[in-house]
Amino acid sequence: MSETLANLSSESRQFPPPEALAAAANVKAEAYEEAAGDRLAFWAKQADRLTWAKKWDQVLDWSNPPFAKWFVGGELNIAYNCVDRHVEAGRGDKVAIHWEGEPGDTRTITYAELLKLVSQAANTLTDLGVGAGDRVAIYLPMIPEAAVAMLACARIGATHSVVFGGFSVEALATRIADADAKLVITADGGYRRGKPSALKPTVDEAVAKSPSIENVLVVRRTGQEVAWTDKDKWWHETVEQASPEHKAQPFDAEHPLFILYTSGTTGKPKGILHTTGGYLTQVSYTHDAVFDLKADTDVYWCTADIGWVTGHSYIVYGPLSNGATQVMYEGTPDTPGRDRFWQLVDKYKVSILYTAPTLIRTMMKWGDDIPAGYDLSSLRILGSVGEPINPEAWMWYRKNIGRDRCPIVDTWWQTETGGVMISPLPGVTATKPGSAMTPLPGITADVVDDQAQSVPNGGGGFLVLRDPWPSMLRTIWGDDKRFLDTYWSRFGAGAGQGDEWIYFAGDGAKKDEDGALWLLGRVDDVMLVSGHNISTTEVESALVSHPSVAEAAVVGATDPTTGQAIVAFVIPRGNVDIEGDVGDQLNAELRNHVSKTLGPIAKPRQIMLVAELPKTRSGKIMRRLLKDVAERRSLGDVTTLQDSAVMDLISAGMKTSKSED
Ligand code: 6R9
C-alpha cells in the first residue's frame, strides 16, 4: 500500500442504543474520559475486578519496549479467579456451562462442579509430572473438558497451547515441537455433521514424531475404537478418580498463561504468548463492558471454537472470571438442521450472542424464514468478530436475529491483542452498520499514513495501536526478533521514526467523516488498481449488498493494463442458478452494481459464481488461495483450510469460465 487507502463507500444509517439498556449499562460514556485522563489509573481500577494474592507495585513497566510488563510484582491465580472465588462467594450452584453436544446430549455444570473438575484435573496433571512453566498441548473437540483442561493448566502454572481439533498431524506436531510440550490432552473424537470424527489417530501420529511428549490424556467422548500406547491414559480413569481438593497457588502477573499459534499469511506459525494478570484484567473488563454482562440474569453464548483466541478470551477466561452462565455447543450450525442455533437460543433463553460474519452470511444464504420460526425475544445484545462485517450482513443480523431491538457490537481484535480493542459500547455508542466504531476506554488506536501520521477523518491507511495495553502479546514464543520485526518495525521507534513505539496490526482501516473506524481487511490483501489502493472489504460489501449475493471474496490479480484487476468470487443466494445464462446475466449485473456503488475504478474485471469459499477454521476467507486461482498458479499451502476440497472445485470452475470483456 502506498500512501492511502481509497475510501469508496459511505454509510449514513445510525442506531442509538435502546434507552433502557443505556440507562442500566455497566459502562457509560464517562469511561472514555476517565481512561483518557489517566490511562494507567483506569487499568489499575479494572485490575481490581480480580482477586490478587499480592497486589502489584507498578501498573506498567514500559522501560524496555516493546516488551511490556503489567501489574509488576502482583500475584494471582487465574483458575481461582475464574472458578473458586465464585463458589466462595456463595454462587456454587449457579450454572457455569450449559453444554449441548451435537447429537443432543447435554451437561449442566455449576461453578461448584467446575471447581471439582478443575481441581481433579490439576491433581492429575501434577501426578503426571507437569509443573509450573511446563507446556501442555490441548487438542480437543468443543466439550467441557476443553475448558477444564485449560483452567487446570492455568491453576498449576503450566502454559497451554490449544490446537484446533481438526488440524493435521503436521500442524499438531509442529506446534508440539515449537512449544516443547510434555503432555497432550485429547479425546477419542468429537461429533461433527452428525457423525463421530476421530481425533486420536492424528494425535498418535503426531506424538510418534514428538520426543518431548511424555503422556497423552484421552477423554472418552464418542466411544469409538482407539489404538493405545503406553503413554496414553484415560481421563475417566485418572482425572475423574483424582482428589477434588486442590489449593491454587498464586503466580506472578507476568507468568506465561498460554501460547496460541496464528498462521498469518506465510511462513511458520507464530506462537503468540500471553501472560497472566494483564490478560485476565482486559478480557474480564471487556467482556463486562462490551457485552454489558449482568451475571445474575444473562445467558451468554459465544459460538467460536475453543481453539481460536475468541474461545480462549470469550468462552473461558472472560466469561468465567465474571461468573457468567453460558452455553457451549459442540457441533456445526446445520446439524441436524439449519435452525440449530435458533433452537438453542430459544431453549437456553440466550440473551447475549457472539458470533462471526461468516456465520451470519451463511444464515442469510439459508434464508430469513429459518430464524423467523423462533421466538428469539430473550436476545438483548448481538456481537460479531473475526472479519469486517458487511453493512448488508449487519442489517440482516439486526433485523432477523435482533428483531430491530438489540444493539450490535462489532468487535475488532486479534490473537495478538488478547482482548477486544475496538468496539461500540452497547449502552453508549450510536452504531453504524459495518463499523467497529471507536477504541474502547483505555485503548489508543489510530489510522496512519506511511509516515505514521494520523490520517484526517475521511481518510484511509494503516491501523496501529499507539500505547501498550494489558492483554497485549508479550512476544512470539522463542522468537523475540520475529516479534519485533512483525509488529514493531513498520512504524515508530522500531522503524527509526521518533521514539514512540507503535504496534502495527497488519490491517487497513479508514476513519469516516465522524471519526468512526472501518476495518478494511489485511493490508496484504489490498489491491492496487490503476494506481488506487482499493480494499477487498469494500468491494465485497458492495457485492453482498446486491440481493442475489450471499457471500463474496475479492482479490487483485496481475493485469497487463491496470497493474492489478479485481477478480470476485461470489456465492449466490439460495434461489440463483449457478450455471448458464442466468449466471452470465448476473455477472454483468453485479459488475455494474459494484461500479454504481463504489465507482468505476472498483468494477471487477471478472466474477466467478462459486458454491463455497476457502476459509480457515475461524471462518476467515483465505484470499491468498483465491489469488493463486485468479492468476492461474498452482495452489499454496492449504493445510489450515476448513475444507480442502473447496479449492479443487473453485479451480475447476476457473478453468472453464470465460474471461470477460
Ligand atoms: C479475534 C480474531 C485477527 C484478524 C484481524 C482482522 C480480522 C477480527 C474483526 C476483524 C474487521 C472485526 N478481524 N475481528 N476485521 N472487523 N470486528 O479474529 O483474532 O484470528 O487473530 O484474527 O481478524 O484482520 O487482524 P485472529
Side-chain angles (χ1 to χ4, degrees), residues 308-310 384-388 410-416 505 507 519 522 620:
W308 182 22
V309 70
T310 306
S384 172
V385 58
E387 280 186 294
D410 173 13
T411 63
W412 179 90
W413 59 294
Q414 309 178 295
T415 306
E416 292 86 341
D507 284 354
L519 277 302
R522 306 291 298 167
K620 295 192 212 303

Side-chain angles (χ1 to χ4, degrees), residues 347-390:
K347 173 174 176 184
Y348 293 106
K349 302 289 172 239
V350 171
S351 56
I352 305 170
L353 178 69
Y354 193 26
T355 192
T358 179
L359 270 155
I360 298 163
R361 291 187 301 256
T362 303
M363 304 290 181
M364 278 170 77
K365 181 171 68 182
W366 288 345
D368 307 359
D369 51 319
I370 299 177
Y374 289 87
D375 178 8
L376 307 188
S377 61
S378 57
L379 288 171
R380 64 180 200 96
I381 289 173
L382 304 176
S384 172
V385 58
E387 280 186 294
I389 175 165
N390 327 100

Side-chain angles (χ1 to χ4, degrees), residues 189-204:
Y191 287 94
R192 261 192 98 72
R193 298 227 144 75
K195 28 180 212 296
S197 153
L199 287 179
K200 181 76 171 30
T202 308
V203 174
D204 291 342

Side-chain angles (χ1 to χ4, degrees), residues 372-544:
Y374 289 87
D375 178 8
L376 307 188
S377 61
S378 57
L379 288 171
R380 64 180 200 96
I381 289 173
L382 304 176
S384 172
V385 58
E387 280 186 294
I389 175 165
N390 327 100
E392 198 65 22
W394 195 103
M395 289 302 295
W396 186 91
Y397 195 28
R398 178 178 162 87
K399 176 163 179 278
N400 293 279
I401 309 305
R403 309 276 156 90
D404 290 322
R405 294 180 298 105
C406 307
I408 296 180
V409 287
D410 173 13
T411 63
W412 179 90
W413 59 294
Q414 309 178 295
T415 306
E416 292 86 341
T417 69
V420 175
M421 304 292 283
I422 306 174
S423 168
L425 285 174
V428 178
T429 316
T431 52
K432 301 182 185 188
S435 171
M437 302 303 298
T438 43
L440 288 178
I443 300 300
T444 332
D446 198 1
V447 181
V448 300
D449 65 17
D450 259 355
Q451 300 305 309
Q453 298 301 311
S454 232
V455 305
N457 287 355
F462 305 92
L463 182 72
V464 297
L465 301 166
R466 289 189 180 275
D467 286 308
W469 62 100
S471 64
M472 68 196 286
L473 77 166
R474 297 305 193 256
T475 189
I476 293 175
W477 181 256
D479 202 344
D480 287 350
K481 181 170 180 303
R482 194 172 177 202
F483 170 62
L484 273 158
D485 291 347
T486 310
Y487 305 106
W488 303 96
S489 60
R490 180 71 184 78
F491 300 106
Q497 306 169 330
D499 50 18
E500 185 195 2
W501 282 84
I502 301 177
Y503 172 90
F504 176 40
D507 284 354
K510 69 180 189 190
K511 294 179 186 169
D512 70 13
E513 294 307 331
D514 304 323
L517 298 175
W518 294 74
L519 277 302
L520 297 176
R522 306 291 298 167
V523 293
D524 305 335
D525 292 335
V526 168
M527 305 173 288
L528 186 60
V529 182
S530 306
H532 296 265
N533 286 301
I534 298 178
S535 97
T536 51
T537 302
E538 289 196 311
V539 181
E540 287 162 7
S541 289
L543 285 162
V544 175

Side-chain angles (χ1 to χ4, degrees), residues 202-344:
T202 308
V203 174
D204 291 342
E205 269 190 67
V207 168
K209 300 180 183 196
S210 308
S212 65
I213 295 296
E214 294 168 6
N215 291 288
V216 180
L217 198 50
V218 189
V219 178
R220 190 163 64 192
R221 161 65 184 135
T222 58
Q224 64 201 115
E225 268 207 40
V226 290
W228 209 247
T229 76
D230 53 8
K231 290 184 178 175
D232 297 339
K233 315 264 173 318
W234 282 113
W235 177 280
H236 60 269
E237 289 174 358
T238 52
V239 177
E240 288 172 19
Q241 311 304 323
S243 158
E245 303 297 325
H246 184 275
K247 186 147 173 36
Q249 302 298 318
F251 292 97
D252 190 88
E254 284 298 335
H255 189 77
L257 173 63
F258 69 83
I259 303 167
L260 185 59
Y261 288 85
T262 160
S263 55
T265 40
T266 48
K268 108 175 202 265
K270 304 187 282 278
I272 304 301
L273 178 70
H274 284 286
T275 59
T276 297
Y279 173 80
L280 196 65
T281 296
Q282 190 169 340
V283 299
S284 179
Y285 170 70
T286 51
H287 181 258
D288 178 85
V290 169
F291 299 107
D292 189 41
L293 179 84
K294 312 288 191 219
D296 290 338
T297 46
D298 274 320
V299 177
Y300 166 86
W301 181 21
C302 168
T303 69
D305 191 283
I306 212 112
W308 182 22
V309 70
T310 306
H312 285 54
S313 301
Y314 298 105
I315 293 178
V316 180
Y317 296 113
L320 295 177
S321 67
N322 290 333
T325 293
Q326 67 179 314
V327 173
M328 180 177 180
Y329 172 57
E330 178 185 33
T332 59
D334 53 354
T335 308
R338 290 176 166 181
D339 59 347
R340 188 67 188 268
F341 272 26
W342 317 123
Q343 183 213 327
L344 290 177

